[in-house]
Amino acid sequence: MSPSNLPLTESLRRALIAAEGSPHRDLLIGSILATTAGKPELEAVAAQVLAPRAGQLELHLDGRSVEDHATNAVAFGTFVTKVAQAAQEYVRDRLGRTAARDVLIAPGPGSVRATFIAPDPVDVAQNPFADQQQDGPVWVDGNLQSEALHRFALLFAHSNPETPDSDVLDGAIQSIPLSARRKLRVAVHEVFKQEWSVSGEYRQRGIGVEEVVLQPIAAKYLWDRLKVEQMDEEPWVSSGILDGHKWSTGIMYFIPDGRSRPIPSSFASTEIQQQVAALAAEPEQRVEATFTVFIQHDSASSNSGRRSYLLRSIRPLDAGPAATLL
């Protein structure tokens, strides 16, 4: 396809990639971004291309216990330490050993702010995954520190018990090793104990920017759900239609054949999330999806239990443009 016939989103992506390598990077990118203002689809593409290669989780703390950009030092220290330790436990569980480099922390000026920064892997070639936003080198690093921070961000984002998407929370929790959950639970305890209102975002190239909000009531709910150490689980394979994908919350919606109500699901990995995003670009894309279903039984109830879905793999069933993206 000639450059003049490219979709606008693809032209923008290529222009930003070229600007990244220019000696006049800042000037060119500033000019390009001025053309995307007020256009959500183009802003999303720019966010995906320009986000840092390694994951960054930026959190701002506000609330009754925050005065003049200051809060309880011990509580804040516990929160930061336990999030970092949870990331260490995540890596240790996946690798069988600790990572060569730990997550970094960058306190921010002007507010009670902490930015957790995953280091680039020592050798990207040892653990890469494909980046749908790039044609050449692997830009998105697959290091486990980034994966850990991304999963924590998704937990925070889905912890409001009053939203429909809270159904995905248990599946997202169970995808995190128990040792990491225990550390994270201590961090979350400080949020509702101090009545902090947490807001921020997770940023990573190929993913873009995902909003994070954790109010004290949601932190209390997440703390309670993190107590559940084990759930019944079962595999489930189904064909159906993709009914949407939200980068901002890390959720997909799937309508199984024979049903009309969509099922929300979280992702077993960032790579699978990228695959779903590519497939979801085609309206009513038919797929075969493999899930792990987590079931929490209520002893006081006779129902079959609350279910939460975690997508393990997906493949297109329709021959079409999206099928060539995987």
Side-chain angles (χ1 to χ4, degrees):
M1 183 179 295
S2 66
S4 61
N5 294 327
L6 287 173
L8 187 57
T9 53
E10 177 64 14
S11 296
L12 172 63
R13 186 180 71 86
R14 294 189 181 191
L16 287 170
I17 292 171
E20 283 270 54
S22 169
H24 307 292
R25 176 190 181 279
D26 293 345
L27 177 62
L28 289 174
I29 288 179
S31 299
I32 294 170
L33 292 182
T35 68
T36 69
K39 302 171 184 175
E41 186 178 13
L42 298 183
E43 290 177 337
V45 171
Q48 290 172 8
V49 175
L50 298 177
R53 184 169 73 172
Q56 295 185 6
L57 175 59
E58 180 178 320
L59 301 177
H60 298 253
L61 277 56
D62 203 350
R64 192 170 68 178
S65 64
V66 177
E67 297 181 8
D68 297 326
H69 308 300
T71 194
N72 184 289
V74 173
F76 183 68
T78 298
F79 174 76
V80 169
T81 299
K82 292 304 177 181
V83 171
Q85 289 177 346
Q88 289 176 333
E89 293 296 335
Y90 186 96
V91 174
R92 182 180 291 114
D93 180 85
R94 295 293 188 265
L95 294 181
R97 57 177 175 81
T98 56
R101 297 159 64 190
D102 290 331
V103 166
L104 307 175
I105 184 71
S111 66
V112 179
R113 181 174 68 181
T115 302
F116 298 89
I117 302 172
D120 271 350
V122 176
D123 183 356
V124 178
Q126 291 180 358
N127 192 19
F129 57 86
D131 179 0
Q132 300 293 346
Q133 304 304 319
Q134 302 286 353
D135 298 322
V138 176
W139 285 94
V140 177
D141 75 84
N143 73 311
L144 291 170
Q145 290 98 328
S146 291
E147 189 78 34
L149 292 179
H150 189 206
R151 291 192 176 280
F152 300 163
L154 293 178
L155 289 192
F156 294 166
H158 296 312
S159 294
N160 186 348
E162 299 178 356
T163 63
D165 292 342
S166 65
D167 288 346
V168 307
L169 180 61
D170 288 331
I173 288 173
Q174 294 296 315
S175 71
I176 295 174
L178 181 57
S179 58
R181 279 182 257 158
R182 289 171 176 164
K183 301 291 186 184
L184 197 61
R185 189 166 184 259
V186 178
V188 170
H189 180 265
E190 294 298 334
V191 175
F192 72 81
K193 180 181 175 183
Q194 298 296 322
E195 298 186 48
W196 287 327
S197 294
V198 180
S199 61
E201 57 189 30
Y202 178 82
R203 301 183 292 267
Q204 188 178 4
R205 194 169 302 175
I207 294 175
V209 179
E210 296 179 345
E211 184 180 6
V212 177
V213 176
L214 185 66
Q215 298 296 334
I217 188 173
K220 178 66 168 63
Y221 181 70
L222 176 57
W223 178 81
D224 187 60
R225 298 311 302 165
L226 285 166
K227 283 194 299 185
V228 180
E229 295 193 352
Q230 190 62 47
M231 291 185 175
D232 291 340
E233 60 181 82
E234 59 186 35
W236 181 49
V237 181
S238 176
S239 57
I241 296 174
L242 277 178
D243 192 45
H245 167 262
K246 294 170 66 176
W247 273 115
S248 60
T249 56
I251 295 178
M252 67 164 279
Y253 297 91
F254 174 70
I255 302 178
D257 289 340
R259 301 189 196 179
S260 58
R261 183 180 177 182
I263 294 171
S265 174
S266 55
F267 303 94
S269 71
T270 303
E271 182 178 9
I272 293 173
Q273 182 179 2
Q274 289 185 310
Q275 292 173 354
V276 169
L279 289 168
E282 290 297 309
E284 296 190 345
Q285 171 72 47
R286 282 187 50 77
V287 298
E288 180 183 85
T290 301
F291 300 88
T292 296
V293 185
F294 296 97
I295 307 167
Q296 174 68 30
H297 296 286
D298 183 355
S299 58
S301 173
S302 59
N303 62 28
S304 59
R306 121 198 218 134
R307 292 171 176 258
S308 187
Y309 296 81
L310 183 72
L311 182 67
R312 295 289 184 185
S313 65
I314 192 167
R315 68 180 184 90
L317 294 178
D318 294 337
T324 65
L325 296 176
L326 302 184

